[in-house]
Amino acid sequence: MIESVKEEFYKKFGKDTVFSLELTKDDVPKWDSLRYIAFLVSLEKKFDIKFTPESASTMKTIDDILKYIKQNQP
Amino acid sequence: MTSNLAFLVSGDGVFAKFVYKNNALLNNAHFTLVICEKKNKAFDYFSSIDGVKCVALDYCQNKEKVDEKIIELMNEFEIGYVFTTYDKVLGTSVVDQYKGRIYNLHLSLLPLHPGLNSAQISIESSELFFGASFHELSKEVDQGKILGQVILSKDLTKSYLENRIILIKKAQILFLDMIYKVLFESQYNYGRLPFNPSLSIEIEKIKS
């Protein structure tokens, strides 16, 4: 799972940032809300899940996103 | 009237950034000043651009002081028009000073869903349509004259986030096109209902 998330992360934010579980938006120069939402949508499709508006706004790190996916995968 | 433009932004300034990237389509109207609600992602982005003055406000201060600061900056940079995508309510003094020259982009089909979190509320509602509105800023929140809207049919097979992306992308185009109309077409429209609803900017020329 983590490799798939990493792949989508690099597609959306580029390879300027070293991927890690602790990353937050402040660590990612190319982060903006539109790219972030596009990143989450790509994960929705990949893992057959839906992010709620609340989850999208409260997840702070890559690790938070991974935990959400694990908890909500079919 | 000077065509120096100011943008008041919250969050990452995704709409102001879109206008900046497409400034050539506005006949290079002078993208002069960006005022950020605080030191945020928008501040990081615009403060690194030569020729654009970027200032972060301090809302820990008394609100009147913040409004005074906004007016001081507008005067210093001889701002002609102000465009906002701002989560804070501006004081009467700012709105009065720029009456008829200050505009807001709001992520709902006003008059439905004024106020904060309007995009989420409208996407999650049972309404079949959602969208964005560009309006004159008035003293009452999200109550100014609506000059343009983009109306989208809700695709119920799509997730909340997919609909949100569609909304942001269409609202970016609305924002840019309405700024063009305000700057270059308003003199022909005075007193008539607002603007030609068609895009004035050729869609193929817009950089996403």
Side-chain angles (χ1 to χ4, degrees), chain B residues 25-124:
Chain B
L25 299 176
L26 299 175
N27 300 334
N28 291 312
H30 199 223
F31 198 107
T32 304
L33 175 65
V34 177
I35 299 178
C36 302
E37 176 195 333
K38 58 186 175 187
K39 284 195 175 172
N40 50 20
K41 278 279 183 182
F43 180 80
D44 294 343
Y45 180 86
F46 285 109
S47 56
S48 68
I49 295 173
D50 287 340
V52 176
K53 175 69 178 177
C54 184
V55 177
L57 297 174
D58 177 8
Y59 271 91
C60 295
Q61 290 185 64
N62 174 310
K63 190 172 178 309
E64 279 73 37
K65 287 244 184 274
V66 177
D67 289 336
E68 277 173 24
K69 177 71 179 171
I70 292 172
I71 291 173
E72 182 190 313
L73 287 163
M74 302 289 196
N75 289 337
E76 180 184 348
F77 291 94
E78 299 179 330
I79 296 303
Y81 294 93
V82 185
F83 302 98
T84 78
T85 53
Y86 207 46
D87 290 343
K88 300 283 186 188
V89 176
L90 291 170
T92 303
S93 55
V94 180
V95 178
D96 280 346
Q97 174 141 345
Y98 279 85
K99 191 172 168 56
R101 294 184 291 137
I102 184 165
Y103 304 88
N104 183 52
L105 177 72
H106 182 79
L107 295 183
S108 83
L109 291 175
L110 289 172
L112 290 173
H113 313 305
L116 293 173
N117 296 324
S118 55
Q120 181 180 335
I121 292 165
S122 58
I123 293 171
E124 291 195 305

Side-chain angles (χ1 to χ4, degrees), chain A residues 2-3 66:
Chain A
I2 191 165
E3 283 306 312
L66 275 167

